[in-house]
């Protein structure tokens, strides 16, 4: 009996030792440890290495060597942030951010290296656009132009509207023959909304793209592609008339997805400049010192299986700029869209 | 025919009488014997969940738990044992810069058989069901903000108790171990997005077969019961819970250490023969 009890206690002790410990991060909370942790997290989870190599000739292993040489044990937190922030910007991805209590790194060249083709300040101050006869709800500003075209400016998908709000807006446009949705300057927000809002503009379920996710730490460990479809709101859709979506390089992430999804809706055309991309859904991970790294882990594709990470080109490329605003008092992209829609109206939507 | 009634319904049914009981020995006429312990506790939770973070989080936990032991005179070698608990803990990483909320409901049922018994010492063992449902929520994460924790398994349990007296006060020491053996659990794929689950309705990666090769879930309870009156005793207990899995290149460990103080109510019931 005594031996049995000792045997049972031994087994229990082994179990408790085996499972009673929670291991902490395998990297130390030192500049070197945090560097190694960051590089490894990105190496195991980032989803666009092949695309970035193809587009920018990025070699992630060379990045390791290059930045490891800049790490030394007595560097300050801000010095470490500067080095690590530069390293993550090598990925040229606006979804990759190093988040610390004192600063957040952000790659903004996807739009800063291009002409803005948009001025919210101009639109907000111009009576021709948003300064007069304009309503605002849930982050959407909307009005009806004299030529019978409804206009919506939606600059941030973090402001999510309810179905009722959208229905109220579309009801206000009931006598309009067509609609402009201006998402220039929209840096994204809620990805759900990029999928549900297009459902108001179609009467049938439509394939708009695919998504994959990482299935392991290998750089090419991906799941099978899963289809993304847009379902018509209430089964029938609401607005089945011409729609133009205006885009520029600042359209990123959920706004990029929205542009992609909308271009497959019937009666919809994209006009303006290419979007900024951001086609990878971001995950958040942590470094040993508590800093967070947000990174793209799940790539999305259009329905031809082209990655949308680098942006989407509109059907009609149109530019606008300071000269249009100051000299003519117009936004050339909006005016072009109005002319196209009005001509289509006169021609019976041909 | 003997009407076998669920514990929760006993008091409201006319055919069941409540009988006075002795603290040490249950009334020999009793047909049902129940012992109910209700406790509040506090302790520590330590967790690592690589879906959310590679860092360990820990925090102070609060806990409510209840144990019910039900015996039948007809089957004096068998007991039904129910245990459920609810634990919440706000946990922080080493830098205290980030919070992860931990909330877990646990239920287990065991059908105990007497393996050994003498005047002071008894050992019970038996099969049962082990159920966990809860989760972790890390508000600062983007598309991986939460981790559902769910486990439904067949389990094996062992209970050893030892009765003794200090002066004239009867007491009992008890150790109870419950280990999940085989079942199903929720485990996300390595980089699976919540967007995929909730917006694309793609949940085929969610369920996993759980066994000792890829996961573990066990509870160890040590308790000491103090006699205070004929019907009421106090129970001071330490409960250690160890849950974890290692699959899909992700590791998860949830350890809790709870000290709780509760009241034990012992009842015996006579079910009237019809």
């Amino acid at each position: 009996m005594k031996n049995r009890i000792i045997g049972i206690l031994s087994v229990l002790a082994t179990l408790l030792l085996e499972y009673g410990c929670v291991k902490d991060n395998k990297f130390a909370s030192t500049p070197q440890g945090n560097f190694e942790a960051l590089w490894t997290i990105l190496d195991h989870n980032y989803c666009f290495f092949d695309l970035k190599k193809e587009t920018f000739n990025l070699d992630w292993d060379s990045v390791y060597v290059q930045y490891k040489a800049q790490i030394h044990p007595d560097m300050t937190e801000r010095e470490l942030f500067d080095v690590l922030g530069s390293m993550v910007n090598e990925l040229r991805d606006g979804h990759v951010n190093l988040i610390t209590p004192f600063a957040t790194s952000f790659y903004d060249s996807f739009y800063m290296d291009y002409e803005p083709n948009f001025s919210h300040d101009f639109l907000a101050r111009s009576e021709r656009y948003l300064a007069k006869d304009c309503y605002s709800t849930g982050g959407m500003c909307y009005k009806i132009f004299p030529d019978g075209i409804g206009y919506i400016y939606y600059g941030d998908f973090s402001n999510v509207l309810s179905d009722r709000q959208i229905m109220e807006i579309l009801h206000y446009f009931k006598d309009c023959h067509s609609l402009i949705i201006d998402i220039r300057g929209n840096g994204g927000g809620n990805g759900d909304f990029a999928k549900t809002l297009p459902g108001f503009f179609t009467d049938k379920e439509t394939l708009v793209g695919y998504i994959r996710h990482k299935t392991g730490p290998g750089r090419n460990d991906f799941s099978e592609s899963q289809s993304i479809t847009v379902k018509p709101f209430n089964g029938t859709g609401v607005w089945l008339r011409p729609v133009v979506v205006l885009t520029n390089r600042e359209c990123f992430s959920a706004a990029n997805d929205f542009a992609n999804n909308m271009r497959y809706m019937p009666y919809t055309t994209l006009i303006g400049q290419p979007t900024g991309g951001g086609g990878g859904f971001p995950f958040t991970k942590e470094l040993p010192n508590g800093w967070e790294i947000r990174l793209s882990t799940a790539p999305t594709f259009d329905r031809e299986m082209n990655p949308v990470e680098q942006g989407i080109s509109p059907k009609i490329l149109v530019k606008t700029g300071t000269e249009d605003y100051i000299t003519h008092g117009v936004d050339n992209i909006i005016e072009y869209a109005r002319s196209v829609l009005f001509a289509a109206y006169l021609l019976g939507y041909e | 025919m003997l009407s076998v009634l669920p514990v929760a319904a006993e008091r409201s049914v006319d055919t069941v009488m409540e009988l006075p009981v002795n603290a040490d020995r249950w009334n020999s006429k009793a047909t049902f014997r129940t012992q109910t312990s209700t406790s509040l506790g506090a302790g520590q939770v330590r967790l690592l969940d690589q879906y959310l973070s590679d860092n360990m989080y820990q925090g102070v936990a609060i806990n409510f738990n209840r144990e019910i032991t039900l015996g039948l005179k007809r089957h004096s070698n068998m007991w039904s044992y129910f245990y459920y608990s609810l634990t919440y803990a706000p946990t922080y990483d080493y830098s205290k810069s980030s919070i992860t909320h931990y909330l877990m409901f646990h239920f287990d049922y065991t059908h105990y058989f007497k393996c050994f018994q003498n005047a002071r010492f008894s050992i019970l063992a038996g099969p049962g069901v082990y159920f966990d449902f809860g989760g972790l929520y890390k508000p600062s994460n983007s598309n991986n903000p939460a981790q559902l924790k769910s486990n439904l398994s067949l389990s094996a349990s062992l209970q050893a108790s030892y009765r003794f007296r200090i002066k004239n006060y009867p007491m009992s020491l008890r150790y109870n171990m419950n280990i999940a053996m085989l079942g199903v659990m929720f485990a996300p794929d390595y980089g699976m997005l919540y967007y995929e689950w909730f917006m694309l309705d793609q949940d085929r990666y969610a369920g996993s077969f759980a066994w000792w090769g890829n996961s573990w879930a066990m509870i160890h309870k040590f308790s000491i019961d103090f006699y205070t009156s004929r019907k009421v005793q106090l129970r001071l207990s330490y409960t250690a819970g160890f849950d974890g899995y290692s699959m899909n290149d992700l590791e998860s460990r949830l350890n809790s250490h709870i000290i709780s103080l509760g009241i034990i109510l012992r009842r015996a019931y006579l079910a009237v023969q019809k």
Side-chain angles (χ1 to χ4, degrees):
Chain A
M1 181 67 194
K2 191 178 176 183
N3 287 340
R4 279 186 192 173
I5 292 173
I6 290 171
I8 290 169
L9 290 176
S10 303
V11 170
L12 289 177
T14 308
L15 288 174
L16 290 174
L17 281 174
E18 173 63 24
Y19 300 112
C21 300
V22 176
K23 296 168 193 165
D24 205 351
N25 201 311
K26 67 179 181 180
F27 297 104
S29 185
T30 60
Q32 182 65 33
N34 285 303
F35 164 77
E36 296 283 350
L38 177 60
W39 188 89
T40 305
I41 286 169
L42 288 163
D43 189 55
H44 289 180
N45 296 279
Y46 188 65
C47 65
F48 289 124
F49 282 121
D50 284 351
L51 180 69
K52 300 294 177 175
K53 185 164 191 173
E54 194 180 300
T55 315
F56 304 112
N57 201 26
L58 173 76
D59 182 345
W60 189 237
D61 295 317
S62 300
V63 168
Y64 175 86
V65 176
Q66 178 189 342
Y67 283 89
K68 188 179 181 181
Q70 301 176 42
I71 303 292
H72 51 88
D74 52 350
M75 63 198 307
T76 65
E77 283 202 327
R78 284 180 190 270
E79 287 172 337
L80 181 64
F81 172 80
D82 290 341
V83 174
L84 298 186
S86 299
M87 184 175 83
V88 301
N89 282 346
E90 295 281 353
L91 295 167
R92 294 174 174 84
D93 185 336
H95 269 151
V96 181
N97 311 109
L98 182 64
I99 302 158
T100 75
F102 54 86
T104 298
S105 75
F106 182 61
Y107 176 78
D108 56 11
S109 295
F110 66 88
Y111 68 88
M112 292 295 279
D113 290 353
Y114 298 82
E115 291 295 322
N117 288 291
F118 171 69
S119 168
H120 183 263
D121 193 51
F122 168 73
L123 292 187
R125 290 167 187 270
S126 169
E127 289 191 357
R128 186 181 180 91
Y129 302 112
L130 300 178
K132 191 178 176 188
D133 301 330
C134 181
Y135 295 96
S136 180
T137 183
M140 270 189 182
C141 300
Y142 61 99
K143 70 182 290 183
I144 298 175
F145 288 132
D147 47 8
I149 296 172
Y151 173 77
I152 296 173
Y153 178 72
Y154 198 23
D156 187 355
F157 279 174
S158 301
N159 300 310
V160 174
L161 288 95
S162 66
D163 292 344
R164 166 144 189 219
Q165 283 174 298
I166 299 166
M167 289 297 288
E168 289 286 347
I169 294 169
L170 294 178
H171 181 71
Y172 178 69
F173 292 142
K174 65 182 186 302
D175 296 326
C176 296
H177 55 79
S178 47
L179 178 63
I180 295 172
I181 302 175
D182 189 349
I183 60 165
R184 289 175 298 165
N186 187 325
N190 192 322
D192 302 348
F193 202 60
K195 186 169 170 288
T196 54
L197 184 56
F200 286 83
F201 303 98
T202 183
D203 56 353
K204 49 181 170 256
E205 187 168 347
T206 309
L207 174 70
V208 293
Y210 297 91
I211 188 170
R212 304 169 81 181
H213 64 254
K214 290 293 301 276
T215 55
R219 289 183 189 173
N220 291 306
D221 292 343
F222 287 104
S223 67
E224 293 171 14
S225 301
Q226 308 293 321
S227 60
I228 302 172
T229 58
V230 167
K231 292 175 183 166
F233 178 75
N234 276 351
T236 57
V238 176
W239 182 275
L240 302 175
R241 301 175 216 172
V243 180
V244 162
V245 177
L246 308 184
T247 58
N248 70 345
R249 285 294 296 181
E250 286 182 76
C251 296
F252 185 73
S253 189
N256 188 64
D257 291 342
F258 176 74
N260 176 62
N261 298 346
M262 281 298 288
R263 67 177 163 159
Y264 297 119
M265 299 301 107
Y267 320 112
T268 301
T269 307
L270 265 57
I271 290 179
Q273 287 293 304
T275 59
F281 273 84
F283 251 39
T284 305
K285 297 283 184 179
E286 271 183 318
L287 305 188
N289 63 358
W291 293 0
E292 292 181 336
I293 175 71
R294 196 172 77 128
L295 68 156
S296 303
T297 61
T300 53
F301 306 85
D302 64 16
R303 69 181 184 191
E304 287 78 37
M305 276 306 288
N306 302 307
V308 296
E309 164 65 7
Q310 301 304 119
I312 294 157
S313 289
K315 191 166 187 180
I316 303 171
L317 282 166
V318 182
K319 288 185 173 183
T320 193
T322 312
E323 189 182 335
D324 298 324
Y325 302 147
I326 295 172
T327 311
H328 307 294
V330 297
D331 182 305
N332 203 34
I333 295 178
I334 295 177
E335 295 306 317
Y336 189 90
R338 287 175 68 179
S339 65
V340 167
L341 288 170
F342 196 68
Y345 170 63
L346 294 177
L347 294 170
Y349 302 138
E350 290 297 324
Chain B
M1 189 179 79
L2 178 67
S3 55
V4 179
L5 302 166
V7 173
E10 284 168 8
R11 291 182 193 185
S12 61
V13 178
D14 292 340
T15 53
V16 175
M17 296 166 56
E18 189 174 311
L19 300 174
V21 294
N22 183 289
D24 282 339
R25 295 185 64 184
W26 291 354
N27 192 301
S28 60
K29 292 179 182 174
T31 310
F32 286 96
R33 298 157 295 166
T34 70
Q35 184 192 69
T36 305
S37 141
T38 305
S39 303
L40 285 173
Q44 187 198 45
V45 165
R46 292 161 75 93
L47 60 93
L48 169 74
D49 190 286
Q50 290 186 325
Y51 182 77
L52 301 177
S53 169
D54 286 329
N55 291 352
M56 185 190 73
Y57 279 66
Q58 59 181 332
V60 175
I62 52 173
N63 169 272
F64 167 82
N65 68 73
R66 196 166 162 85
E67 290 177 79
I68 299 166
T69 305
L70 172 65
L72 275 174
K73 187 186 177 188
R74 268 185 148 188
H75 305 283
S76 58
N77 290 334
M78 289 190 273
W79 285 265
S80 290
Y81 173 80
F82 303 85
Y83 173 75
Y84 58 89
S85 73
L86 186 66
T87 307
Y88 167 74
T91 64
Y92 300 87
D93 68 345
Y94 140 83
S95 68
K96 305 275 184 202
S97 62
S98 184
I99 187 171
T100 296
H101 298 277
Y102 167 92
L103 181 67
M104 183 67 73
F105 172 76
H106 171 81
F107 169 82
D108 63 63
Y109 164 75
T110 304
H111 195 78
Y112 275 125
F113 296 90
K114 185 164 63 183
C115 299
F116 172 82
Q117 186 173 31
N118 63 21
R120 288 180 176 275
F121 189 63
S122 67
I123 295 178
L124 311 176
V129 176
Y130 189 107
F131 176 66
D132 274 338
F133 187 81
L136 307 174
Y137 174 55
K138 188 166 183 293
S140 63
N141 278 13
S142 44
N143 280 298
N144 54 334
Q147 172 70 295
L148 178 67
K149 294 289 178 189
S150 177
N151 184 339
L152 177 63
S153 296
L154 297 173
S155 62
S157 290
L158 178 76
Q159 180 171 300
S161 58
Y162 178 70
R163 293 182 182 191
F164 62 99
R165 284 176 181 270
I166 295 180
K167 294 184 179 175
N168 278 328
Y169 294 98
M171 297 176 135
S172 70
L173 272 175
R174 191 181 56 135
Y175 167 70
N176 181 297
M177 177 181 69
N178 192 348
I179 301 180
M181 304 299 287
L182 206 65
V184 290
M185 65 179 292
F186 173 86
D189 206 2
Y190 184 79
M192 186 91 185
L193 302 167
Y194 273 63
Y195 175 82
E196 291 176 88
W197 275 306
F198 294 114
M199 287 303 292
L200 305 180
D201 303 323
Q202 291 164 5
D203 53 3
R204 61 181 173 163
Y205 297 94
S208 293
F209 178 67
W211 65 292
W212 271 83
N214 60 12
S215 67
W216 59 92
M218 65 180 93
I219 287 183
H220 302 267
K221 288 195 285 281
F222 299 89
S223 62
I224 181 164
D225 296 348
F226 302 92
Y227 171 85
T228 54
S229 73
R230 282 172 62 84
K231 288 188 179 179
V232 179
Q233 287 176 279
L234 291 179
R235 171 168 292 172
L236 180 65
S237 56
Y238 162 71
T239 306
F242 305 112
D243 284 80
Y245 67 75
S246 183
M247 64 177 82
N248 300 333
D249 289 302
L250 294 173
E251 193 168 323
S252 170
R253 284 175 181 244
L254 302 174
N255 292 0
S256 62
H257 303 274
I258 304 289
I259 291 174
S260 55
L261 182 65
I263 296 173
I264 303 170
L265 295 173
R266 306 181 82 180
R267 294 279 190 275
Y269 300 91
L270 178 64
V272 175
Q273 304 287 327
K274 284 183 176 176

